[in-house]
CSV table of all heavy atoms in Angstrom, one decimal:
chain,number,residue,atom,x,y,z
A,184,HIS,N,1.7,5.4,10.6
A,184,HIS,CA,0.8,4.3,10.3
A,184,HIS,C,-0.5,4.8,9.5
A,184,HIS,O,-1.0,4.1,8.6
A,184,HIS,CB,0.3,3.6,11.6
A,184,HIS,CG,1.3,2.6,12.1
A,184,HIS,ND1,1.4,1.3,11.7
A,184,HIS,CD2,2.3,2.8,13.0
A,184,HIS,CE1,2.4,0.7,12.3
A,184,HIS,NE2,3.0,1.6,13.1
A,185,VAL,N,-1.0,5.9,9.9
A,185,VAL,CA,-2.1,6.5,9.2
A,185,VAL,C,-1.7,6.8,7.7
A,185,VAL,O,-2.5,6.4,6.8
A,185,VAL,CB,-2.6,7.8,9.8
A,185,VAL,CG1,-3.6,8.6,9.0
A,185,VAL,CG2,-3.2,7.5,11.2
A,186,ILE,N,-0.6,7.3,7.5
A,186,ILE,CA,-0.1,7.6,6.1
A,186,ILE,C,0.0,6.3,5.3
A,186,ILE,O,-0.4,6.2,4.2
A,186,ILE,CB,1.2,8.3,6.1
A,186,ILE,CG1,1.0,9.7,6.7
A,186,ILE,CG2,1.8,8.4,4.7
A,186,ILE,CD1,2.3,10.5,7.0
A,187,GLY,N,0.5,5.3,6.0
A,187,GLY,CA,0.6,4.0,5.3
A,187,GLY,C,-0.7,3.4,5.0
A,187,GLY,O,-0.9,2.7,3.9
A,188,GLY,N,-1.7,3.6,5.9
A,188,GLY,CA,-3.1,3.1,5.6
A,188,GLY,C,-3.7,3.8,4.4
A,188,GLY,O,-4.4,3.2,3.7
A,189,ILE,N,-3.4,5.1,4.2
A,189,ILE,CA,-4.0,5.8,3.0
A,189,ILE,C,-3.4,5.2,1.7
A,189,ILE,O,-4.2,4.9,0.8
A,189,ILE,CB,-3.6,7.3,3.1
A,189,ILE,CG1,-4.3,8.0,4.3
A,189,ILE,CG2,-4.0,8.0,1.8
A,189,ILE,CD1,-3.9,9.4,4.6
A,190,PHE,N,-2.2,5.0,1.7
A,190,PHE,CA,-1.5,4.4,0.5
A,190,PHE,C,-2.0,2.9,0.3
A,190,PHE,O,-2.2,2.4,-0.8
A,190,PHE,CB,0.0,4.4,0.6
A,190,PHE,CG,0.5,5.8,0.3
A,190,PHE,CD1,1.2,6.5,1.3
A,190,PHE,CD2,0.4,6.4,-0.9
A,190,PHE,CE1,1.7,7.8,1.1
A,190,PHE,CE2,0.9,7.6,-1.2
A,190,PHE,CZ,1.5,8.3,-0.2
A,191,ALA,N,-2.3,2.2,1.4
A,191,ALA,CA,-2.8,0.8,1.3
A,191,ALA,C,-4.1,0.8,0.7
A,191,ALA,O,-4.5,-0.1,-0.2
A,191,ALA,CB,-2.8,0.1,2.7
A,192,GLY,N,-5.0,1.8,1.1
A,192,GLY,CA,-6.3,1.9,0.5
A,192,GLY,C,-6.3,2.2,-1.0
A,192,GLY,O,-7.0,1.6,-1.8
A,193,LEU,N,-5.4,3.1,-1.4
A,193,LEU,CA,-5.2,3.4,-2.8
A,193,LEU,C,-4.7,2.2,-3.6
A,193,LEU,O,-5.2,2.0,-4.7
A,193,LEU,CB,-4.3,4.6,-3.0
A,193,LEU,CG,-4.8,5.9,-2.4
A,193,LEU,CD1,-3.7,7.0,-2.5
A,193,LEU,CD2,-6.0,6.4,-3.1
A,194,SER,N,-3.8,1.5,-3.0
A,194,SER,CA,-3.3,0.3,-3.7
A,194,SER,C,-4.4,-0.7,-3.9
A,194,SER,O,-4.5,-1.4,-4.9
A,194,SER,CB,-2.2,-0.4,-2.8
A,194,SER,OG,-1.7,-1.5,-3.4
A,195,ALA,N,-5.3,-0.9,-2.8
A,195,ALA,CA,-6.4,-1.9,-3.0
A,195,ALA,C,-7.4,-1.4,-4.1
A,195,ALA,O,-7.9,-2.3,-4.8
A,195,ALA,CB,-7.1,-2.0,-1.6
A,196,LEU,N,-7.6,-0.1,-4.2
A,196,LEU,CA,-8.5,0.4,-5.3
A,196,LEU,C,-7.9,0.0,-6.7
A,196,LEU,O,-8.6,-0.5,-7.5
A,196,LEU,CB,-8.6,1.9,-5.2
A,196,LEU,CG,-9.6,2.4,-4.1
A,196,LEU,CD1,-9.5,3.9,-4.0
A,196,LEU,CD2,-11.0,2.0,-4.4
A,197,THR,N,-6.6,0.3,-6.9
A,197,THR,CA,-6.0,0.0,-8.2
A,197,THR,C,-6.0,-1.5,-8.4
A,197,THR,O,-6.1,-2.0,-9.5
A,197,THR,CB,-4.6,0.6,-8.3
A,197,THR,OG1,-3.8,0.2,-7.2
A,197,THR,CG2,-4.7,2.1,-8.3
A,198,PHE,N,-5.8,-2.3,-7.3
A,198,PHE,CA,-5.8,-3.8,-7.5
A,198,PHE,C,-7.2,-4.3,-7.8
A,198,PHE,O,-7.4,-5.1,-8.7
A,198,PHE,CB,-5.4,-4.4,-6.1
A,198,PHE,CG,-5.6,-5.9,-6.1
A,198,PHE,CD1,-4.7,-6.7,-6.8
A,198,PHE,CD2,-6.5,-6.5,-5.3
A,198,PHE,CE1,-4.8,-8.1,-6.8
A,198,PHE,CE2,-6.7,-7.9,-5.2
A,198,PHE,CZ,-5.8,-8.7,-6.0
A,199,THR,N,-8.2,-3.7,-7.3
A,199,THR,CA,-9.6,-4.0,-7.6
A,199,THR,C,-9.9,-3.7,-9.1
A,199,THR,O,-10.6,-4.5,-9.8
A,199,THR,CB,-10.6,-3.3,-6.7
A,199,THR,OG1,-10.3,-3.7,-5.3
A,199,THR,CG2,-12.1,-3.7,-7.0
A,200,SER,N,-9.4,-2.6,-9.5
A,200,SER,CA,-9.6,-2.2,-10.9
A,200,SER,C,-8.9,-3.1,-11.9
A,200,SER,O,-9.3,-3.4,-13.0
A,200,SER,CB,-9.2,-0.7,-11.1
A,200,SER,OG,-7.8,-0.6,-11.1
A,201,LEU,N,-7.8,-3.6,-11.4
A,201,LEU,CA,-7.0,-4.6,-12.2
A,201,LEU,C,-7.7,-5.8,-12.5
A,201,LEU,O,-7.7,-6.3,-13.6
A,201,LEU,CB,-5.6,-4.8,-11.6
A,201,LEU,CG,-4.7,-5.8,-12.2
A,201,LEU,CD1,-4.2,-5.4,-13.6
A,201,LEU,CD2,-3.5,-6.1,-11.3
A,202,ILE,N,-8.2,-6.4,-11.4
A,202,ILE,CA,-8.9,-7.8,-11.6
A,202,ILE,C,-10.4,-7.7,-11.8
A,202,ILE,O,-11.0,-8.7,-12.1
A,202,ILE,CB,-8.6,-8.7,-10.4
A,202,ILE,CG1,-9.2,-8.1,-9.1
A,202,ILE,CG2,-7.0,-8.8,-10.2
A,202,ILE,CD1,-9.0,-9.0,-7.9
A,203,SER,N,-11.0,-6.5,-11.6
A,203,SER,CA,-12.4,-6.3,-11.8
A,203,SER,C,-13.3,-7.2,-11.0
A,203,SER,O,-14.4,-7.5,-11.4
A,203,SER,CB,-12.7,-6.3,-13.3
A,203,SER,OG,-12.1,-5.3,-13.9
A,204,SER,N,-12.8,-7.7,-9.9
A,204,SER,CA,-13.6,-8.7,-9.1
A,204,SER,C,-13.0,-8.8,-7.7
A,204,SER,O,-12.1,-7.9,-7.4
A,204,SER,CB,-13.6,-10.0,-9.8
A,204,SER,OG,-12.3,-10.6,-9.9
A,205,GLY,N,-13.3,-9.8,-7.0
A,205,GLY,CA,-12.7,-10.0,-5.6
A,205,GLY,C,-11.9,-11.3,-5.6
A,205,GLY,O,-12.3,-12.3,-6.3
A,206,ASP,N,-10.7,-11.2,-5.0
A,206,ASP,CA,-9.9,-12.4,-4.9
A,206,ASP,C,-9.2,-12.4,-3.5
A,206,ASP,O,-8.5,-11.5,-3.2
A,206,ASP,CB,-8.8,-12.4,-6.0
A,206,ASP,CG,-8.1,-13.7,-6.1
A,206,ASP,OD1,-7.9,-14.4,-5.1
A,206,ASP,OD2,-7.7,-14.0,-7.2
A,207,PRO,N,-9.5,-13.5,-2.7
A,207,PRO,CA,-9.0,-13.5,-1.3
A,207,PRO,C,-7.5,-13.9,-1.3
A,207,PRO,O,-6.9,-13.8,-0.2
A,207,PRO,CB,-9.8,-14.6,-0.7
A,207,PRO,CG,-10.2,-15.5,-1.8
A,207,PRO,CD,-10.4,-14.6,-3.0
A,208,ASN,N,-7.0,-14.4,-2.4
A,208,ASN,CA,-5.6,-15.0,-2.4
A,208,ASN,C,-4.5,-14.1,-3.1
A,208,ASN,O,-3.4,-14.0,-2.7
A,208,ASN,CB,-5.5,-16.3,-2.9
A,208,ASN,CG,-6.4,-17.3,-2.2
A,208,ASN,OD1,-6.3,-17.4,-1.0
A,208,ASN,ND2,-7.3,-18.0,-2.9
A,209,GLN,N,-5.0,-13.5,-4.2
A,209,GLN,CA,-4.0,-12.8,-5.0
A,209,GLN,C,-3.3,-11.6,-4.3
A,209,GLN,O,-2.1,-11.3,-4.6
A,209,GLN,CB,-4.8,-12.2,-6.3
A,209,GLN,CG,-3.8,-11.8,-7.4
A,209,GLN,CD,-3.0,-12.9,-8.0
A,209,GLN,OE1,-3.4,-14.0,-8.0
A,209,GLN,NE2,-1.8,-12.5,-8.5
A,210,GLY,N,-4.0,-10.9,-3.4
A,210,GLY,CA,-3.4,-9.7,-2.8
A,210,GLY,C,-2.3,-10.1,-1.9
A,210,GLY,O,-1.3,-9.3,-1.7
A,211,THR,N,-2.3,-11.3,-1.4
A,211,THR,CA,-1.2,-11.8,-0.5
A,211,THR,C,0.2,-11.7,-1.1
A,211,THR,O,1.2,-11.5,-0.5
A,211,THR,CB,-1.5,-13.2,0.0
A,211,THR,OG1,-2.8,-13.3,0.5
A,211,THR,CG2,-0.5,-13.6,1.1
A,212,THR,N,0.2,-11.9,-2.4
A,212,THR,CA,1.5,-11.9,-3.1
A,212,THR,C,2.2,-10.6,-3.1
A,212,THR,O,3.4,-10.5,-3.3
A,212,THR,CB,1.3,-12.4,-4.6
A,212,THR,OG1,0.4,-11.4,-5.2
A,212,THR,CG2,0.7,-13.7,-4.7
Side-chain angles (χ1 to χ4, degrees):
H184 281 276
V185 169
I186 293 169
I189 294 172
F190 285 114
L193 294 175
S194 178
L196 281 173
T197 54
F198 173 70
T199 302
S200 71
L201 172 65
I202 65 175
S203 296
S204 61
D206 192 327
N208 299 310
Q209 192 66 27
T211 306
T212 60

